Amino acid sequence: RRDVDPWHVQAACRSHPQADEVFFPTHTQGRGDVRAALILCYGWPVKDQCLEDALTQEKGLPTSRRFGVYGATTPQQRSDLDSSATARVVRL
């Protein structure tokens, strides 16, 4: 249930038969199927919570240290979002 379970219980990748290869490939597996992962994630109701968690966990990391598809974003997209947020805070 949404009101009781943490968001990741309802994540699209949780029940995907090839989640490790599609969503979270290791450096030896290449990029995985990024397009398929993005499409599946995009319409999922917990996408925003997933992205928020990823940005919190990866805060300040360079793009090269970010892996996988989280919240319908690629590592580069999350790095760009993190950089934008940091730039806004610095300007304030």
Side-chain angles (χ1 to χ4, degrees), residues 24-32 67:
F24 316 108
T26 65
H27 67 282
T28 60
Q29 293 172 316
R31 292 188 49 201
F67 298 96

Side-chain angles (χ1 to χ4, degrees), residues 36-92:
L38 291 172
I39 289 169
L40 188 58
C41 270
Y42 188 77
W44 219 253
V46 295
K47 173 186 71 169
D48 294 340
Q49 293 95 321
C50 179
L51 177 57
E52 185 177 332
D53 265 10
L55 291 173
T56 299
Q57 295 297 320
E58 297 175 340
K59 187 162 184 66
L61 289 178
T63 304
S64 63
R65 301 270 326 271
R66 298 170 191 245
F67 298 96
V69 171
Y70 290 91
T73 61
T74 65
Q76 181 64 55
Q77 290 168 325
R78 292 191 308 278
S79 183
D80 292 346
L81 287 169
D82 190 22
S83 296
S84 299
T86 301
R88 282 193 303 274
V89 170
V90 170
R91 279 184 269 184
L92 294 177

Side-chain angles (χ1 to χ4, degrees), residues 1-11 46:
R1 291 187 14 221
R2 281 184 123 175
D3 57 338
V4 177
D5 291 333
W7 70 263
H8 54 83
V9 172
Q10 298 177 32
V46 295

